[in-house]
Amino acid sequence: MSAPEHFDIALIGSGSGNSFPGPEFADKSIVYIDRGVGPAHIFGGTCLNVGCIPTKMFVHTATVAENAKEEHAKKFGVDSKLGGVGFPAVRERIFNRIDPISHGGEEYRASHPDNANLTLIRGTARFTGPKRLAVETDGGTREITADTVLLAAGSRPAIPGIPGLKEAKPLTSDTIMRLEELPESIAILGSGVIALEFAHILDAFGVDVHLIARSEALLRAFDEDIARRITEVASARYHVHLNASTTRVRRTASGVEIDLEPSDPAADEAPRTLTVADILVATGRTPNSDLLDAAAGGIGIDDAGRVMVDPYQRALDPSGQVLDGIYSIGDLSSPAQLKHVANYELKVARHNILNPHDLRRSDDMPIPAAVFTDPHIAQVGMTEREAREWAATAGREIRVARQEFADVAYGWAMELEAPGDFVKIIAEADTGRILGAHIIGPEAATLIQVLIQAMSFGLSARDVATKQYWIHPAMPEVIENALLQLA
């Protein structure tokens, strides 16, 4: 048996991991292993190819279509009617922009002189021992060992174990955006971020959308007021099936049949069958630790399937001890499953590999998140419930401010109706320290940035509100007015 190929560094995954190689590692041999994402195993990671970027390009197009509809435009005295959405043209516009970036990135890593010390292998890596890998490629299996291993292998759509679901070959976020044509109707299984974003896209494009949620609210992990509001909005726009458990799925010659029954056995509702043209599973993502067989490398895996790491992105063994020379970033190990988190973790891991005696932490900033549905949603820090629980335990007091978009001048310009879209900010009563912020309304992900900055730099609500100009009459005044309530 031949000896394995040895490298200084093994890098697995082409998402945020693609930012790892650079001139600082010119004296190191690097093997870069990537299986790709989606059915076509595209190079470049989830965000670029099947996640953040294409979905937001679809979201913006959906919003353009939604605003063109007669019922929306007539509020502004505009005579407008949406004649339809040419989905193939939308799809081609988006992927004609994205696919060349993916292909160019792969070509750059494979053959550019900048990467003379890097060997790119397209295939699936799995551990066969500590820092020892077998890589399955089209040309056979290659055995690899390395002194340092950086895991950035990401995640994939999770398919629940519902009878008949796998056999029905459901759509996922990996496949739906490249359809030749959209179905007339669709059931979206899930009530989280991915489900809501695709509900907005598909409904705006003319698909009859059914959202199936096991709980009594959508986005149930978010602040309760946000969850309540988006549930109201979605229920007025789509067919929303709350408290509904999917018990069986069948694909037939004419579509998909979905058996539903109440999630709460005490609910006075009868089981029913929903019939649609197709089904989209959007119930979350699962880390690729099983594809890596990370446990065979001595790496600890938590109950959610994530690689266990410490705050320095060093992988841990099953007992929680640091494994020398193994790091992990992104969806593979982060419960946040956010691209901006993966990017920051990559920077931390990169620094720590280069500077093992000057380690940096990755858990030193509040983590924001956004949902690009309609309306937009953004959050950072504690929910109101979490803040009240913290205050009760710590013997502290909190204040909560809520400001409606409709009460500021730009809200009038947008014809927003109260009570509706709002900003909620939670602060410690005596210090004004901002503990959390939650926004549902236009451009929420942009508006929340000033509050992310305040939390990151320890600015009080009073200082943020009073020690800068706020442009009038611009949308950020909704943030200013909320902060003034706290100040």
Side-chain angles (χ1 to χ4, degrees), residues 386-409:
E386 290 168 343
R388 294 196 182 283
E389 290 174 352
W390 168 80
T393 302
R396 312 291 290 176
E397 293 184 8
I398 65 167
R399 289 180 181 163
V400 179
R402 176 168 167 157
Q403 177 66 51
E404 299 283 338
F405 277 71
D407 291 337
V408 299

Side-chain angles (χ1 to χ4, degrees), residues 173-330:
S173 55
D174 278 3
T175 57
I176 191 168
M177 289 181 284
R178 292 185 185 258
L179 290 176
E180 289 300 313
E181 60 181 28
L182 293 176
E184 291 186 0
S185 61
I186 197 164
I188 301 178
L189 196 60
S191 58
V193 175
I194 298 172
L196 277 166
E197 291 187 349
F198 276 108
H200 168 51
I201 293 167
L202 296 169
D203 175 80
F205 288 178
V207 180
D208 187 28
V209 172
H210 293 257
L211 267 177
I212 302 174
R214 294 186 61 188
S215 67
E216 291 291 346
L218 308 177
L219 289 184
R220 60 188 181 276
F222 280 55
D223 183 86
E224 289 180 8
D225 285 345
I226 295 288
R228 186 179 303 113
R229 173 61 180 162
I230 195 59
T231 301
E232 292 172 354
V233 173
S235 297
R237 184 175 172 189
Y238 326 121
H239 307 284
V240 176
H241 306 265
L242 301 174
N243 188 37
S245 290
T246 303
T247 58
R248 184 171 291 277
V249 176
R250 296 175 298 280
R251 186 172 288 277
T252 68
S254 58
V256 178
E257 295 179 350
I258 304 164
D259 293 341
L260 302 174
E261 65 179 32
S263 300
D264 181 0
D268 187 19
E269 299 177 35
R272 63 195 187 278
T273 298
L274 173 66
T275 302
V276 290
D278 217 328
I279 182 171
L280 167 66
V281 175
T283 53
R285 299 181 65 84
T286 186
N288 286 328
S289 57
D290 57 337
L291 300 182
L292 283 171
D293 199 3
I299 298 168
I301 306 297
D302 68 15
D303 292 341
R306 293 186 291 262
V307 168
M308 294 164 52
V309 293
D310 70 0
Y312 307 98
Q313 300 307 133
R314 298 178 298 186
L316 307 176
D317 70 12
S319 68
Q321 297 300 306
V322 171
L323 291 167
D324 181 54
I326 303 180
Y327 296 78
S328 181
I329 66 161

Side-chain angles (χ1 to χ4, degrees), residues 344-359:
Y344 185 63
E345 290 176 348
L346 182 279
K347 292 176 183 177
V348 169
R350 196 173 191 276
H351 170 87
N352 291 342
I353 290 170
L354 287 166
N355 305 277
H357 302 297
D358 179 29
L359 298 179

